[in-house]
Amino acid sequence: MYNIAQLKELLQDKKMDEKFSSIYGGDEKSISEAYGRLSDTIKHFENIDKSQEVYLFSASGRTELSGNHTDHNNGCVLTASINLDKLALVAKRNDNKIVVYTDYSNNPDVIDVNNLELDKDEYGKSNALIRGVCAGIKNKGYNIGGCTVSLNNKVLMGSGLSSSASFESLIGEIQNALYNDNKISPVEIAKIGQYAENVYFGKPCGLMDQMGCSVGGIMSIDFKDNDNPIIEKVEYDFEKAGYALMIVDAKGDHSGLTNEYAAIREEMNAIANYFGKKVCRDITKEQLLENASKLRAEIGDRAVMRAYHFLEENERVINQINALKNNDINTYLKLMNESGLSSFMYLQNCFSITSSKSMGVALGICLTKDFLRGEGACRVHGGGFAGTIQALVPISRVDEYKKFMDSIFGDGSAVKIRVRQSPVCEI
């Protein structure tokens, strides 16, 4: 906790380097930006709240390294927290309201923590996530309370970097620090965030996004027992291996795509149910292939291919984890490209079937493959259909790649990201 005057002095004297470095991993650009972002946030906060005692939080976005649509069927994933984050200045309130201002807007999201009833009219809105996180915390027997939040956001909505999961993790950690003496574990905060997104926000996501934001660093997660996922930190530096991790926002519109996301899970589950199982993690590729004729007749061809993607992708995640552990970047790149092709051909989430003129993800992959000519790797990033692709680009070609992709999708579309070791936290 800080006094506003104290915090201003620390900023003026540039005495936040150590704390910012622990958050952003020594990334000088992110640290420099954090000073300016926090200074602007303090100015905004003083206009909306007269509290002198404040808390400072940071919640990262996440990048999906491997495991495209595997988490919701109890599969394995490889994910990482990144240096792009939500920076928030927070003060307690006594009226049981949570009031969140994003990027200094004049129209905050407001909920009363005494009213946590599900409201389907809030589906897809920030209010739903705040209300859902508070309901999840209360359901687990923890405390909730009011607060004012001034939030500066670098994890843009629709960017494929899990802005919603980052927001859920932030709200959960604020409640954890202000009202629960930090007794709620990172894994619990992730599960609460998933509950909020599934039930209150209306999106049937898996747990990977929330875990990526809540735990920190590169991590492998095995969701075989979804209530007790196995988490292992994986130490690796892509830039030391000669590659920059890049995200390209193809500027697609996610609105109206919830049913397409949901269909992936529904079709995989339908295949599993055919064998008397709940999820594809509990069936084998041999079972799938031996019963392909009956499955395509009863459930459909796409469902069979999506289940096939899951079974192959789940094994591929394990092989990619081992490649990083063995410092074998060439094998990792090969498997990353295979993952991208599997998502395109079998999972079929690189474009929406509702539009033939808006295929930014597919086009981004096409152009990236032509640019790289086998030097790196690329794949769909996250849920797909619209949004972003991920690429590993030789460091010497980053500026050239950024210029090329920005010329297609607009300035700022291609962004170099870095892995961040710190999870969502109070600074």
Side-chain angles (χ1 to χ4, degrees):
M1 185 169 63
Y2 299 90
N3 179 276
I4 283 280
Q6 173 199 14
L7 195 54
K8 286 182 177 179
E9 186 177 329
L10 289 171
L11 285 182
Q12 183 176 346
D13 296 340
K14 297 289 184 181
K15 291 184 177 179
M16 295 289 285
D17 279 8
E18 184 176 345
K19 290 190 176 184
F20 284 154
S21 183
S22 69
I23 300 298
Y24 301 111
D27 181 4
E28 292 182 4
K29 181 180 179 182
S30 293
I31 293 171
S32 177
E33 287 180 347
Y35 275 102
R37 293 167 66 200
L38 181 53
S39 178
D40 290 342
T41 303
I42 291 173
K43 291 175 185 176
H44 176 259
F45 187 88
E46 289 183 309
N47 288 328
I48 61 172
D49 194 297
K50 301 306 179 185
S51 300
Q52 293 301 303
E53 302 300 322
V54 294
Y55 301 78
L56 180 61
F57 293 87
S58 170
S60 73
R62 76 93 185 95
T63 185
E64 171 198 285
L65 297 175
S66 185
N68 198 223
H69 283 278
T70 52
D71 55 336
H72 53 64
N73 262 247
N74 293 31
C76 300
V77 302
L78 185 64
T79 187
S81 302
I82 60 170
N83 57 314
L84 302 181
D85 71 331
K86 298 179 189 295
L87 193 67
L89 204 60
V90 181
K92 284 186 175 182
R93 295 174 67 101
N94 297 320
D95 59 3
N96 288 320
K97 290 182 179 179
I98 295 178
V99 183
V100 181
Y101 294 82
T102 300
D103 290 333
Y104 323 131
S105 70
N106 294 319
N107 298 303
D109 296 305
V110 183
I111 74 152
D112 189 325
V113 299
N114 292 317
N115 177 19
L116 301 179
E117 294 295 320
L118 173 64
D119 182 356
K120 291 187 177 180
D121 289 338
E122 287 186 340
Y123 272 5
K125 300 177 181 178
S126 298
N127 271 6
L129 296 178
I130 302 169
R131 202 181 306 276
V133 168
C134 288
I137 291 172
K138 187 175 180 180
N139 291 344
K140 288 182 174 290
Y142 294 110
N143 302 317
I144 53 176
C147 57
T148 299
V149 181
S150 178
L151 167 64
N152 176 267
N153 181 28
K154 295 284 283 187
V155 190
L156 300 179
M157 291 294 291
S159 66
L161 300 173
S162 293
S163 181
S164 58
S166 178
F167 185 70
E168 294 150 16
S169 299
L170 175 65
I171 298 299
E173 186 61 23
I174 289 171
Q175 293 294 313
N176 189 25
L178 269 59
Y179 295 105
N180 292 281
D181 298 322
N182 295 306
K183 293 177 181 177
I184 311 176
S185 73
V187 173
E188 282 184 293
I189 287 175
K191 290 179 180 178
I192 289 167
Q194 184 197 21
Y195 167 79
E197 192 151 347
N198 288 175
V199 178
Y200 281 73
F201 193 75
K203 183 176 179 180
C205 68
L207 187 57
M208 175 179 65
D209 295 355
Q210 290 78 12
M211 293 288 279
C213 295
S214 292
V215 177
I218 298 177
M219 70 206 81
S220 65
I221 311 173
D222 187 339
F223 291 108
K224 186 172 184 177
D225 180 354
N226 205 50
D227 291 330
N228 299 286
I230 300 172
I231 306 166
E232 182 183 1
K233 288 292 188 78
V234 180
E235 300 295 334
Y236 195 78
D237 189 328
F238 288 107
E239 293 191 21
K240 283 186 178 179
Y243 292 89
L245 192 59
M246 304 283 292
I247 293 293
V248 180
D249 184 358
K251 304 294 173 63
D253 183 4
H254 285 83
S255 64
L257 294 176
T258 296
N259 289 340
E260 294 210 46
Y261 295 126
I264 293 177
R265 186 171 188 167
E266 290 166 0
E267 290 178 15
M268 286 186 185
N269 290 161
I271 295 291
N273 293 342
Y274 177 89
F275 296 100
K277 306 296 184 181
K278 290 184 177 180
V279 291
C280 283
R281 178 65 179 265
D282 295 330
I283 67 174
T284 66
K285 187 168 75 172
E286 289 72 25
Q287 286 177 306
L288 181 73
L289 298 179
E290 287 171 3
N291 290 274
S293 178
K294 294 178 181 178
L295 289 167
R296 66 186 299 250
E298 291 191 22
I299 305 172
D301 293 344
R302 189 175 67 174
V304 176
M305 288 189 287
R306 284 176 164 172
Y308 180 87
H309 163 82
F310 172 88
L311 295 166
E312 289 279 293
E313 183 83 344
N314 204 48
E315 183 176 343
R316 189 157 35 238
V317 171
I318 296 169
N319 291 333
Q320 285 185 265
I321 292 167
N322 289 332
L324 293 185
K325 289 180 177 179
N326 294 328
N327 198 28
D328 185 355
I329 189 62
N330 291 327
T331 295
Y332 182 90
L333 292 171
K334 175 178 177 291
L335 292 169
M336 180 175 169
N337 279 319
E338 288 179 7
S339 174
L341 287 173
S342 181
S343 292
F344 209 128
M345 293 188 298
Y346 307 134
L347 186 62
Q348 297 185 19
N349 70 329
C350 290
F351 56 87
S352 169
I353 60 174
T354 62
S355 174
S356 62
K357 291 187 177 181
S358 181
M359 294 186 172
V361 169
L363 179 61
I365 291 171
C366 168
L367 297 175
T368 298
K369 284 189 172 295
D370 186 77
F371 177 89
L372 292 174
R373 296 296 174 98
E375 284 190 291
C378 67
R379 64 194 286 274
V380 63
H381 183 253
F385 299 110
T388 59
I389 69 168
Q390 181 188 88
L392 276 172
V393 178
I395 289 176
S396 61
R397 303 192 67 193
V398 166
D399 291 342
E400 181 188 0
Y401 179 70
K402 178 173 172 51
K403 182 179 179 181
F404 174 52
M405 299 309 281
D406 283 359
S407 73
I408 305 297
F409 297 108
D411 289 344
S413 298
V415 178
K416 185 170 84 167
I417 58 176
R418 288 187 169 92
V419 174
R420 154 178 161 162
Q421 296 302 320
S422 172
V424 60
C425 62
E426 181 185 354
I427 300 176

